[in-house]
Amino acid sequence: MNILIIGVSGYVGQYLLNELIRDSKHFVTGISRSTMEECYSKNYLHVQADITREEWREQIIGQIDVVLYLAQSNQYRGFPSGTSDVFNVNASSVLEVLEWSQKNQVKKFIYASTGNVYKSKNSAIDESDVCEPNTFYGASKLCGELLCKQF
């Protein structure tokens, strides 16, 4: 299976990458803004690219079966100064990747969101709970979720 991980240099992305490349049945392409020189594997290709710019598309080689969208802006705590980057990574780029995925016949698209999309409460959160983010970051992730539902 050919897997594209967007946001591969993050905590979840790195863990997932290590698990996936252990299985020689998978070829993983990872995209991140940062370099990942420490990851060498015959079944891994690292693409250093900014997902908010169109150039990333040109660097994807071969057919992709699954997209794992794990990207998060490093500006997520910077309100209001980082709002443009947060929105671009969590919403605008999600739409771009969804459209690219549809055009390239990707079989599965998985979008990692956050518990911050839900209304705060003093008990465990459930996916059936009301979505009512109280931060810009949560609102941008909810926007990404809503875009994914349309596809």
Side-chain angles (χ1 to χ4, degrees), residues 8-9 28-37 39 44-49 59:
V8 72
S9 65
V28 179
T29 301
I31 296 178
S32 73
R33 288 176 172 169
S34 60
T35 61
M36 285 185 55
E37 296 172 9
C39 183
Y44 177 68
L45 170 67
H46 183 73
V47 175
Q48 183 178 358
Q59 298 181 56

Side-chain angles (χ1 to χ4, degrees), residues 2-4 29 60 62-67 100 105-107:
N2 292 325
I3 301 168
L4 174 62
T29 301
I60 305 303
Q63 176 64 38
I64 299 295
D65 301 306
V66 177
V67 170
W100 177 88
Q105 300 173 336
V106 171
K107 295 175 182 100

Side-chain angles (χ1 to χ4, degrees), residues 2 19 28 67 84 92 128 146:
N2 292 325
E19 292 298 311
V28 179
V67 170
S84 291
S92 296
S128 63
L146 295 171

Side-chain angles (χ1 to χ4, degrees), residues 20-150:
L20 291 170
I21 62 174
R22 205 176 289 171
D23 183 348
S24 61
K25 294 183 225 171
H26 304 300
F27 184 85
V28 179
T29 301
I31 296 178
S32 73
R33 288 176 172 169
S34 60
T35 61
M36 285 185 55
E37 296 172 9
E38 66 277 359
C39 183
Y40 298 101
S41 173
K42 64 181 179 180
N43 56 335
Y44 177 68
L45 170 67
H46 183 73
V47 175
Q48 183 178 358
D50 186 341
I51 200 69
T52 66
R53 300 174 192 253
E54 291 185 18
E55 295 84 40
W56 69 269
R57 299 173 193 192
E58 300 160 6
Q59 298 181 56
I60 305 303
I61 300 167
Q63 176 64 38
I64 299 295
D65 301 306
V66 177
V67 170
L68 301 169
Y69 196 101
L70 309 177
Q72 169 178 294
S73 168
N74 61 4
Q75 300 293 313
Y76 68 97
R77 287 189 179 111
F79 183 83
S81 60
T83 56
S84 291
D85 192 61
V86 170
F87 186 80
N88 287 337
V89 171
N90 295 342
S92 296
S93 294
V94 173
L95 177 60
E96 294 290 325
V97 177
L98 283 164
E99 289 176 335
W100 177 88
S101 297
Q102 185 177 40
K103 178 181 174 189
N104 288 279
Q105 300 173 336
V106 171
K107 295 175 182 100
K108 185 169 270 203
F109 187 99
I110 299 170
Y111 176 71
S113 190
T114 178
N116 291 345
V117 300
Y118 297 105
K119 184 176 181 177
S120 296
K121 66 180 196 174
N122 293 329
S123 58
I125 295 171
D126 184 90
E127 287 187 9
S128 63
D129 286 345
V130 174
C131 287
E132 193 176 302
N134 61 7
T135 64
F136 185 83
Y137 168 73
S140 69
K141 282 295 205 175
L142 180 57
C143 184
E145 285 185 27
L146 295 171
L147 291 169
C148 289
K149 285 182 181 180
Q150 299 306 309

